[in-house]
Amino acid sequence: SLKNLNAIPAGLSRLKNLKNLSLKRNFLSEISKSLYKIKSLENLDLSRNKLTEIPSEIRYLENLKINNYSNFPPIKTPNPDM
């Protein structure tokens, strides 16, 4: 897991076969659009960050099975009808 990040590194999107990503315990306040390019991603841990909402684009991660959004303030989750 990476620590003390204020933003998701853009270079992560080049890891086309990445399945597990832990970004917990950072200072992320938003999810970078580059993250949605990692179509192979299955497990994503975003717990203990400064996120206030999860964008609807998270649905582009079709293989995503585990999303750890614990320890957040109230979150606006994606509308399933979008």
Side-chain angles (χ1 to χ4, degrees), residues 1 5 7-8 12 21-32 35-36 41 43-55 58 61 64 66-73 75:
S1 123
L5 292 177
I8 296 173
L12 281 177
L21 180 59
S22 175
L23 293 170
K24 66 183 176 182
R25 295 186 177 146
N26 282 287
F27 300 97
L28 302 174
S29 59
E30 65 182 16
I31 299 175
S32 168
L35 183 68
Y36 306 125
L41 197 58
N43 302 301
L44 175 61
D45 187 344
L46 293 169
S47 61
R48 298 179 188 230
N49 276 283
K50 295 185 174 191
L51 296 167
T52 57
E53 76 176 342
I54 302 299
I58 197 86
L61 298 174
L64 195 61
I66 299 174
N67 310 289
N68 189 346
Y69 306 129
S70 62
N71 300 311
F72 286 169
I75 297 173

Side-chain angles (χ1 to χ4, degrees), residues 5 12 17 27 34 40 42 52 60 66-67 73 78-79 82:
L5 292 177
L12 281 177
N17 295 316
F27 300 97
S34 65
S40 61
E42 293 179 1
T52 57
Y60 298 137
I66 299 174
N67 310 289
N79 181 342
M82 293 182 81

